[in-house]
Amino acid sequence: MEKLMQYVWQQRLLPVAEMRTVDGRKVEIIDPGLLNTDAGPDFFNAKVSIGGEVWVGNVEIHYRASDWHRHKHNTDPAYDSVILHVVDKDDAIVRRADGQIVPQMRMPCDPALNSRYSELVGRADIDLPCSREISSLPPIYITDWISSLAYERIYDKAERIESIRQRLAGDWEQVCYVTVARGLGFGTNSEPFERLALSLPLMFIGKHSDSLTAIEALLFGQSGLLNARATAIDPYAARLKKEHAFFSTKFGLSQPQALGWKMARMRPANFPHRRIAVLAAMLHGGFRLMSRILDIRNLDEACALFTPEMSQYWQLHYSFGTPGSRELGSLSRSSALVMVINVAAPLMMAYGMTHGDHRLTDAAIELLHDIKAEKNSVVELFERAGLKVRDAFSSQGLIQLRRNYCEKRKCLYCRIGHRRLSYCALRKN
């Protein structure tokens, strides 16, 4: 309930005639303040007129006034700057730590608004509570929101890349290597892949970049996948383990513990073994992928960066053991496109933002527009609700919407939920 009350306050959806303190003074919101999601009052730096006198300070919101005492705000100096206490139930007089009474205003939420809010955030059995309304909203409204979310998503990825760059002392090729490795985890194994890459600096691989076997020995040895079973049934795995032991001594490598590879209910083509082999093939001959990403001219060029020629061994194997009956390629076209979306475009965006190169940031967005919409459960969910998704830029926006708003039931902060709730409140007023 308090989240809904915060929303009503922030959006100024209260009936003006009803805005009075419990002792009858007229209240006017000049500035609702900044919502605080951490400890302390709910809104910082609000500006409120109380009985014709302007106050600047913080606002605290509770369902019951007595919660002020229950939460011990009356003894907490952090709440001495509260200029107005907004409540639904006026069941107590509240005071600051120095004993002064805090002005208090009742803000009972309209039952229809509360009911609508409960429908949106309280139905755990419905994947998309607003599905009935989405198709009826003006298309420009939906398009603008999805575009904003798509930008938000690629900026989030770029910021993550920037944090890696700072960790790696600004070495962009090393950053690209770690980002590619993470991308090859395709969500399920992203964390193990990133830890694997961070445990094996690119400079060590570069010393043996002319030998694909040496690169595979380094990567598979660090991955922990050269276990006793693998080396017992496959001579190639045993050879890689032996070579890794030599390189570990030479370079002083420490194998990361418990990477936690996930392979349950996974298609063989998606096993981490094959993804590591793809990474090894990309590293073979020297890793200069970052400069090639920055020079991407079209989608085919972009996909080609992630489809290296595989070694003879991995043309026949999904993992260590018995070879398959047919020749295997590198990444499929659809998987390569996922790498373009999650690796190439974010790297272009991050580099462009770091160097103030708008040509690159624009090219990153254009690349996403050139790719057809992804086919996954999130996109299908919104398509069933009536949305038409044409490109990867839009599908990335929907993934951001789903992950950061729908799944967290942050409907109050979603423009779709906001439109429904504000319309309900304004119609009542």
Side-chain angles (χ1 to χ4, degrees):
M1 175 60 79
E2 286 184 9
K3 288 186 180 298
L4 179 59
M5 293 175 68
Q6 290 172 359
Y7 170 81
V8 171
W9 172 266
Q10 187 176 33
Q11 302 301 325
R12 308 185 194 195
L13 300 178
L14 302 101
V16 176
E18 298 178 15
M19 292 177 58
R20 293 185 177 275
T21 60
V22 294
D23 59 4
R25 288 176 290 170
K26 183 179 178 181
V27 175
E28 179 187 354
I29 303 173
I30 301 171
D31 185 338
L34 298 174
L35 178 64
N36 173 35
T37 57
D38 295 319
D42 293 318
F43 288 90
F44 288 146
N45 300 323
K47 184 182 288 187
V48 181
S49 173
I50 303 176
E53 186 176 0
V54 176
W55 293 74
V56 177
N58 303 329
V59 173
E60 177 69 359
I61 295 177
H62 284 127
Y63 178 62
R64 294 182 177 83
S66 56
D67 288 341
W68 178 278
H69 300 290
R70 189 166 61 86
H71 297 160
K72 295 182 171 51
H73 296 337
N74 56 310
T75 60
D76 188 344
Y79 290 83
D80 285 349
S81 57
V82 170
I83 58 173
L84 183 65
H85 190 215
V86 181
V87 302
D88 186 298
K89 306 296 183 184
D90 173 30
D91 63 347
I93 296 174
V94 301
R95 300 176 184 271
R96 301 187 182 95
D98 62 2
Q100 287 184 320
I101 294 176
V102 179
Q104 190 158 278
M105 181 186 81
R106 285 200 66 222
M107 188 179 71
C109 286
D110 177 66
L113 181 61
N114 187 35
S115 175
R116 186 60 187 154
Y117 172 71
S118 298
E119 286 180 14
L120 287 175
V121 303
R123 295 294 303 277
D125 58 323
I126 298 178
D127 286 332
L128 198 62
C130 62
S131 59
R132 291 175 297 177
E133 287 84 25
I134 289 179
S135 59
S136 64
L137 293 176
I140 187 65
Y141 188 88
I142 294 292
T143 301
D144 183 60
W145 180 220
I146 293 175
S147 294
S148 296
L149 290 166
Y151 277 107
E152 181 181 301
R153 185 166 179 79
I154 195 169
Y155 287 149
D156 285 349
K157 292 178 181 179
E159 287 174 4
R160 193 179 195 287
I161 290 171
E162 172 61 17
S163 68
I164 295 174
R165 186 186 74 86
Q166 293 179 9
R167 178 177 179 178
L168 299 175
D171 185 340
W172 276 103
E173 286 297 349
Q174 182 85 359
V175 171
C176 182
Y177 158 60
V178 173
T179 305
V180 167
R182 182 179 179 85
L184 285 168
F186 288 85
T188 304
N189 282 311
S190 292
E191 291 298 329
F193 259 104
E194 181 173 305
R195 290 179 57 200
L196 167 61
L198 289 171
S199 77
L200 183 60
L202 195 56
M203 57 180 281
F204 295 154
I205 299 173
K207 294 180 182 297
H208 297 275
S209 62
D210 59 335
S211 171
L212 184 52
T213 302
I215 297 172
E216 289 186 0
L218 284 163
L219 286 171
F220 279 106
Q222 290 297 104
S223 74
L225 294 173
L226 296 176
N227 52 40
R229 180 180 181 280
T231 55
I233 63 174
D234 193 318
Y236 185 62
R239 177 186 172 185
L240 294 182
K241 187 174 182 64
K242 183 177 180 180
E243 290 205 22
H244 177 259
F246 168 76
F247 290 131
S248 291
T249 302
K250 178 179 180 180
F251 297 126
L253 297 175
S254 297
Q255 185 178 325
Q257 298 299 311
L259 285 177
W261 297 107
K262 298 179 179 65
M263 288 178 275
R265 297 185 296 280
M266 183 178 288
R267 295 172 58 190
N270 297 330
F271 283 172
H273 306 72
R274 282 202 60 77
R275 302 306 192 205
I276 291 173
V278 171
L279 179 59
M282 294 177 70
L283 292 164
H284 185 215
F287 191 78
R288 293 175 292 276
L289 189 61
M290 188 66 202
S291 57
R292 295 171 67 190
I293 285 176
L294 298 180
D295 289 335
I296 289 174
R297 290 172 295 182
N298 55 59
L299 192 54
D300 288 336
E301 272 190 12
C303 287
L305 298 178
F306 302 104
T307 52
E309 184 177 350
M310 303 296 287
S311 67
Q312 186 175 359
Y313 179 89
W314 292 107
Q315 288 177 11
L316 296 171
H317 289 79
Y318 287 113
S319 60
F320 295 116
T322 305
S325 57
R326 62 184 181 85
E327 187 172 319
L328 306 172
S330 181
L331 293 182
S332 65
R333 173 76 176 188
S334 60
S335 293
L337 287 172
V338 171
M339 292 293 289
V340 174
I341 293 169
N342 293 323
V343 176
L347 280 168
M348 293 169 70
M349 178 63 72
Y351 191 92
M353 290 172 64
T354 301
H355 293 84
D357 189 338
H358 298 297
R359 181 192 62 84
L360 269 177
T361 56
D362 290 346
I365 299 301
E366 190 61 33
L367 198 57
L368 295 178
H369 280 298
D370 289 342
I371 302 172
K372 291 183 179 179
E374 300 155 89
K375 297 296 182 184
N376 54 46
S377 60
V378 172
V379 174
E380 290 173 359
L381 180 65
F382 285 99
E383 286 181 334
R384 287 197 299 271
L387 291 187
K388 296 185 183 299
V389 191
R390 293 182 173 83
D391 54 37
F393 183 74
S394 298
S395 60
Q396 283 288 290
L398 291 178
I399 292 172
Q400 187 77 354
L401 174 58
R402 180 65 180 164
R403 298 284 181 258
N404 286 12
Y405 295 85
C406 302
E407 290 180 354
K408 297 177 181 179
R409 287 298 192 259
K410 294 177 69 174
C411 304
L412 294 177
Y413 309 100
C414 167
R415 292 188 196 175
I416 298 171
H418 168 76
R419 186 178 177 90
R420 291 298 303 164
L421 289 168
S422 61
Y423 174 73
C424 179
L426 292 172
R427 183 176 57 182
K428 176 68 177 178
N429 296 340

